[in-house]
Amino acid sequence: MIAELAYQELEPGSLARLFGAGHAAVLVRCPEIVAELWRGLLEDRAEQMPWEAPLVDIARNYHGSGDITASLGDLFYFQPGRHGYIARKMALSREAGEDHATVRPAYFVQGGQHYAPGQALLDRCWAIGWRLMTALAPEGTPPGDFHVVVQRLKYQESAGDFERLGALARNSLGRWGRAGCALDERRWQAAGVLSPRGLSDLYGLLADVPVLGRLLQGINRLLLRRDRSRDIAPGQKLIEGAHFDYRYFSALCGERTQMLTQVFAGGRWIDLPIDRATLAVFPGSMATQAYGMQHVLHRVLHVENPGQAGGDPRTDNVTLLIGSA
């Protein structure tokens, strides 16, 4: 279900062949490249990461809307069972004939100062994204226009902190906003035939209605027991619910102690190795639309590991994502 190859083996169509053969993910071995990215994107102390910043700096660096896939800059998403991270997201592009990549946003506010990533680092991220994208496109099918996404996501070490941050986000809303959050949580709990859009909305609205709501919740509990994609092992807590990424592909590396990413393949959840030696690559919905390859259902869990104390709060439980959209 999970294939492996070296970065040097990436060539036009090589990832497309592996995904076409039924692999849910490909581990691309490249420890030197990951080390280079980690140094430039996470260990440069001149850059203040959003999880180290005051809330007002996160707001100043936010470039987005209600569409999570289109948002850039500093992102704060805590919706129980759906999202649970603080992140910094950049989009790189390069026009034909240009030598260097351009980035959005161009800089990040740090109090009374600005920080801008170095051009050599941006060009390196673009080159890696371009090579992965050409390997994803079927051989003989050059990729069309795309931009490379660079995202750094911080997950919390404590399950209780996820709950507190979720409450902070929820309780900052007005009465109708809080009601909407509760409705969304019920929608995401809908399983089986109740899970498609529209039916899940209806379930969320009716789940608390007297008599009818109890009946619907009972049906949903039966559907949950039969839905293998909702299985969660003891000691695990769902942080990001099962979903497909919209982009062409996601390539992940990171420093993990309490976090676990899983892909759903062959009717079961499979742990996806995420470390600082490989890029774990899997296709998203844009690859389905453009190339017909299967996008991959995945999720993020918090795992209780009391014996694994963190080393550096700046980088512990951080995922570095390179993608294309």
Side-chain angles (χ1 to χ4, degrees), residues 89-296:
K89 182 180 178 184
M90 304 181 295
L92 307 177
S93 58
R94 196 169 78 179
E95 298 295 330
E98 294 292 330
D99 294 329
H100 298 292
T102 57
V103 61
R104 294 180 294 124
Y107 62 84
F108 297 97
V109 176
Q110 298 184 170
Q113 301 178 331
H114 291 170
Y115 172 85
Q119 188 61 54
L121 179 63
L122 297 177
D123 290 340
R124 185 62 168 143
C125 291
W126 169 265
I128 294 166
W130 179 86
R131 185 159 184 174
L132 290 167
M133 185 63 190
T134 57
L136 180 77
E139 189 173 4
T141 307
D145 292 335
F146 64 93
H147 60 261
V148 171
V149 174
V150 179
Q151 190 166 4
R152 290 158 282 180
L153 304 98
K154 168 71 172 179
Y155 297 95
Q156 303 305 303
E157 286 76 14
S158 163
D161 284 345
F162 283 106
E163 296 172 1
R164 283 184 282 270
L165 286 163
L168 175 68
R170 179 177 62 252
N171 293 337
S172 67
L173 302 173
R175 181 164 60 95
W176 285 109
R178 294 194 298 273
C181 286
L183 189 151
D184 277 339
E185 288 186 40
R186 291 194 297 270
R187 285 176 54 242
W188 298 328
Q189 293 166 2
V193 296
L194 296 177
S195 61
R197 183 177 298 178
L199 288 175
S200 62
D201 296 335
L202 188 60
Y203 173 79
L205 287 168
L206 298 178
D208 285 341
V209 173
V211 183
L212 176 60
R214 288 197 296 272
L215 174 62
L216 286 173
Q217 290 182 42
I219 294 172
N220 195 58
R221 283 193 294 271
L222 290 174
L223 295 171
L224 281 169
R225 285 198 288 268
R226 297 178 180 179
D227 188 349
R228 296 294 304 277
S229 71
R230 303 300 184 100
D231 291 348
I232 299 177
Q236 298 179 347
K237 178 180 176 61
L238 187 66
I239 301 302
E240 287 192 31
H243 66 284
F244 303 106
D245 283 350
Y246 177 71
R247 59 184 67 94
Y248 285 106
F249 71 86
S250 298
L252 310 180
C253 61
E255 189 79 64
R256 296 297 187 91
T257 50
Q258 281 85 23
M259 304 309 299
L260 174 66
T261 296
Q262 296 180 324
V263 293
F264 192 71
R268 62 189 179 93
W269 286 107
I270 301 171
D271 295 350
L272 184 63
I274 295 181
D275 54 33
R276 288 172 58 180
T278 61
L279 290 171
V281 185
F282 53 86
S285 298
M286 291 182 73
T288 303
Q289 297 167 11
Y291 307 131
M293 61 186 62
Q294 183 62 45
H295 52 188
V296 174

Side-chain angles (χ1 to χ4, degrees), residues 48 50 53-64 72-75 87-89 105 107-111 113-115:
Q48 174 186 259
L55 187 59
V56 67
D57 277 1
I58 296 177
R60 288 167 176 164
N61 290 323
Y62 174 66
H63 302 266
L72 294 173
D74 288 353
L75 313 174
R88 174 162 286 179
K89 182 180 178 184
Y107 62 84
F108 297 97
V109 176
Q110 298 184 170
Q113 301 178 331
H114 291 170
Y115 172 85

